[in-house]
């Protein structure tokens, strides 16, 4: 990881790993929230086309079934850069997030069919 981060800094002197993790954390939280809300516009601006297509298909499936998702972030336990490299003049950084999240999926009638609205996962 260190040599990858060094390569990124050599290519872009303004790169700051701590600042990058902070921004990635905010983006991750926005993505999870947008997915739960079915907010395609936000997702489209934050995800690559391939990843967006998968999220959009899941949202479409959920909507067809009349299901909804509720998420609440409880805490961020860890956010670590686990890989970093420069490939074809593009920096690639992988971050592993460990969150405490409360999540529940409800059917058309509002019954919980997955997860729990009160217990973290």
């Amino acid at each position: 990881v260190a040599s990858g981060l060094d390569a990124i800094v050599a290519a872009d002197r303004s790169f700051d790993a701590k600042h990058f993790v902070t921004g990635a954390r905010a983006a991750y939280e926005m993505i999870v929230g947008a997915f739960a809300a079915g907010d395609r516009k936000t997702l489209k601006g934050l995800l690559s086309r391939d990843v967006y297509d998968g999220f959009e298909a899941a949202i479409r499936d959920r909507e067809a079934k009349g299901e909804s998702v509720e998420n609440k972030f409880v805490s961020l336990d860890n956010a670590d850069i686990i890989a970093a490299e420069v490939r074809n003049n593009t920096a690639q950084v992988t971050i592993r997030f460990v969150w405490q999240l409360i999540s529940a999926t409800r059917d058309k009638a509002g019954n919980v069919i997955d997860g729990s609205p009160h217990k973290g996962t």
Side-chain angles (χ1 to χ4, degrees), residues 23-105:
R25 175 187 172 183
Y28 181 80
E29 195 167 343
M30 288 188 327
I31 291 165
V32 171
F35 176 68
D39 182 353
R40 291 170 173 90
K41 182 178 178 183
T42 297
L43 290 172
K44 200 170 222 175
L46 294 169
L47 303 173
S48 69
R49 181 67 180 169
D50 290 346
V51 174
Y52 172 81
D53 288 346
F55 276 58
E56 201 282 325
I59 291 168
R60 194 174 347 109
D61 181 59
R62 188 173 68 214
E63 289 172 343
K65 293 176 184 175
E67 297 173 354
S68 62
V69 175
E70 303 166 6
N71 284 330
K72 179 181 177 187
F73 286 98
V74 177
S75 66
L76 170 63
D77 296 336
N78 210 357
D80 291 321
I81 296 175
I82 60 169
E85 67 179 320
V86 176
R87 184 184 301 165
N88 300 324
N89 292 321
T90 301
Q92 295 186 354
V93 179
T94 303
I95 300 175
R96 178 180 291 135
F97 295 104
V98 179
W99 292 89
Q100 293 296 317
L101 178 71
I102 295 173
S103 182
T105 302

Side-chain angles (χ1 to χ4, degrees), residues 1-21 79-87 90-95:
V1 174
S3 63
L5 291 173
D6 288 345
I8 293 170
V9 170
D12 179 358
R13 298 269 182 223
S14 68
F15 180 79
D16 177 282
K18 287 182 182 182
H19 187 263
F20 184 84
V21 170
D80 291 321
I81 296 175
I82 60 169
E85 67 179 320
V86 176
R87 184 184 301 165
T90 301
Q92 295 186 354
V93 179
T94 303
I95 300 175

